[in-house]
Amino acid sequence: MGAMSARPNPEAAPRQATDTDPHRAGFACFVGRPNAGKSTLTNALVGQKVAITSNRPQTTRHTVRGIVHRDDAQLILVDTPGLHKPRTLLGERLNDVVRTTWAEVDVIGFCLPADQKLGPGDKFIIKELAAIRKTPKIAVITKTDLVDSRALAEQLLAVSQLSQELGFEWAEIVPVSAVKDDQVGLLADLIAPLLPVSPPLYPEGDLTDEPEMVMVAELIREAALEGVRDELPHSIAVVVEEMLPREDRPADKPLLDIHANVYIERPSQKGIIIGPKGQRLKDVGTKSRKHIEALLGTPVFLDLHVKVAKDWQRDPKQLRKLGF
């Protein structure tokens, strides 16, 4: 028999893994306009909260990778920011990050909410995807719990027709509901055979390879955005200055001290974040501390400060300092 290609045929139907099948491992990313359900889907697949989720577009800024460990495959999910028409330097950086990521992954999942018609934003992304010839692409219709079967069928048809117009074929079209955990396992089953043959790339226990400080910063940022999204949609950045185990603690009662700064763009925004008598900042601390403790598995003392970094979204020096 001739040598077999390590790359599976994207059009091939997924096979049930058998003991003789080689192990596969590789990278997949979910793309779609902001708020298409990418982060929620990542979390559902990994089974633990790793990417930040919010109903405000443009909240995932870092490439958070969730890792799905299976007997037959290891799937590393790269969560890119939504692709959009850039208005600021930060917007341009984000778009560059997206295109670079697409070129480097093994599978791309295009996410489209079942309850929204295909819009110009979706068509813009699908056109970009059509240009990436080699990578298998799966259309993922998200939020299926929000529509009836007829609306869902129409959406599936629309997605299928659009790819035909652009001259490419989806490897699969899958409806899922991450919230109801419906067909999420099936999606993983369909992605797995599209990955290259490879041993696992990460140790079994890993859920994400993001440095813990970055993930902690994201959890604080998510809590800080709660309730003030309309007033401060993007002008919050969080930097964790240090994470140190408290000294003189008994081994069975550890405490982790975390010092973090919440950066805003203008002094007038400070009051919004801090709230009357400091109550909002206190709530942000309480809320994010719960998530951080769940993530790190240890009690945490969280020290939060609000600082002004003038117009940081437009300033290359500040963007670098804040980790973008």
Side-chain angles (χ1 to χ4, degrees):
M1 260 177 65
M4 284 185 67
S5 138
R7 276 255 190 250
N9 170 9
E11 311 304 337
R15 295 174 304 133
Q16 289 305 301
T18 66
D19 293 341
T20 54
D21 278 350
H23 186 279
R24 297 182 179 278
F27 295 83
C29 74
F30 293 126
V31 306
R33 62 186 145 105
N35 204 18
K38 303 182 292 287
S39 297
T40 312
L41 188 55
T42 299
N43 293 337
L45 276 161
V46 176
Q48 180 166 339
K49 186 167 181 149
V50 287
I52 85 164
T53 55
S54 106
N55 51 11
R56 179 92 201 179
Q58 275 318 103
T59 40
T60 310
R61 288 239 170 104
H62 293 278
T63 303
V64 178
R65 297 178 176 83
I67 303 166
V68 183
H69 300 277
R70 297 163 50 109
D71 293 339
D72 60 333
Q74 187 181 67
L75 169 60
I76 299 129
L77 300 166
V78 188
D79 197 19
T80 54
L83 190 73
H84 59 106
K85 298 210 161 61
R87 283 195 301 278
T88 60
L89 184 64
L90 176 65
E92 282 170 41
R93 290 254 173 107
L94 291 174
N95 278 1
D96 291 343
V97 170
V98 176
R99 291 197 183 85
T100 316
T101 306
W102 291 4
E104 291 168 358
V105 298
D106 301 295
V107 180
I108 299 173
F110 169 69
C111 292
L112 176 79
D115 63 332
Q116 294 168 31
K117 290 261 184 284
L118 268 168
D122 301 307
K123 290 175 181 166
F124 172 69
I125 293 169
I126 293 179
K127 271 204 182 87
E128 295 267 333
L129 285 180
I132 301 170
R133 288 278 169 209
K134 282 204 175 85
T135 316
K137 294 168 272 290
I138 293 180
V140 186
I141 312 299
T142 58
K143 309 185 185 185
T144 56
D145 51 294
L146 301 179
V147 297
D148 60 19
S149 54
R150 205 181 112 204
L152 179 58
E154 283 173 10
Q155 191 72 304
L156 293 169
L157 194 63
V159 170
S160 168
Q161 282 171 339
L162 190 59
S163 68
Q164 284 167 7
E165 283 167 33
L166 293 169
F168 77 95
E169 208 171 326
W170 299 108
E172 305 284 350
I173 300 179
V174 198
V176 303
S177 166
V179 176
K180 294 260 167 80
D181 198 23
D182 188 27
Q183 303 235 92
V184 173
L186 172 67
L187 177 61
D189 291 344
L190 295 173
I191 294 174
L194 301 176
L195 302 174
V197 171
S198 159
L201 303 169
Y202 287 89
E204 178 68 42
D206 288 8
L207 289 171
T208 170
D209 78 343
E210 272 293 282
E212 283 176 342
M213 284 172 107
V214 174
M215 292 188 65
V216 166
E218 287 284 276
L219 289 169
I220 296 169
R221 185 166 178 268
E222 182 177 17
L225 278 169
E226 275 310 271
V228 296
R229 297 187 195 290
D230 298 332
E231 299 157 273
L232 309 175
H234 306 320
S235 33
I236 297 178
V238 175
V239 176
V240 173
E241 298 296 338
E242 56 178 18
M243 283 170 50
L244 297 169
R246 175 87 53 99
E247 288 175 19
D248 311 329
R249 296 284 291 196
D252 58 341
K253 288 200 175 144
L255 183 69
L256 188 65
D257 283 316
I258 299 181
H259 300 279
N261 290 327
V262 178
Y263 288 95
I264 45 179
E265 292 192 294
R266 290 188 293 286
S268 60
Q269 298 171 333
K270 218 167 174 175
I272 301 175
I273 290 284
I274 293 172
K277 297 194 176 147
Q279 194 51 51
R280 274 225 68 245
L281 191 63
K282 206 181 255 163
D283 293 346
V284 169
T286 308
K287 193 162 189 180
S288 55
R289 198 184 72 240
K290 278 198 193 102
H291 287 307
I292 294 165
E293 291 182 336
L295 173 78
L296 302 177
T298 178
V300 160
F301 172 79
L302 183 58
D303 176 38
L304 284 184
H305 292 272
V306 180
K307 299 198 166 184
V308 178
K310 234 171 125 41
D311 292 333
W312 63 264
Q313 295 198 44
R314 293 172 194 282
D315 176 350
K317 272 223 290 288
Q318 304 243 36
L319 279 173
R320 272 200 299 282
K321 184 181 149 205
L322 298 174
F324 298 113

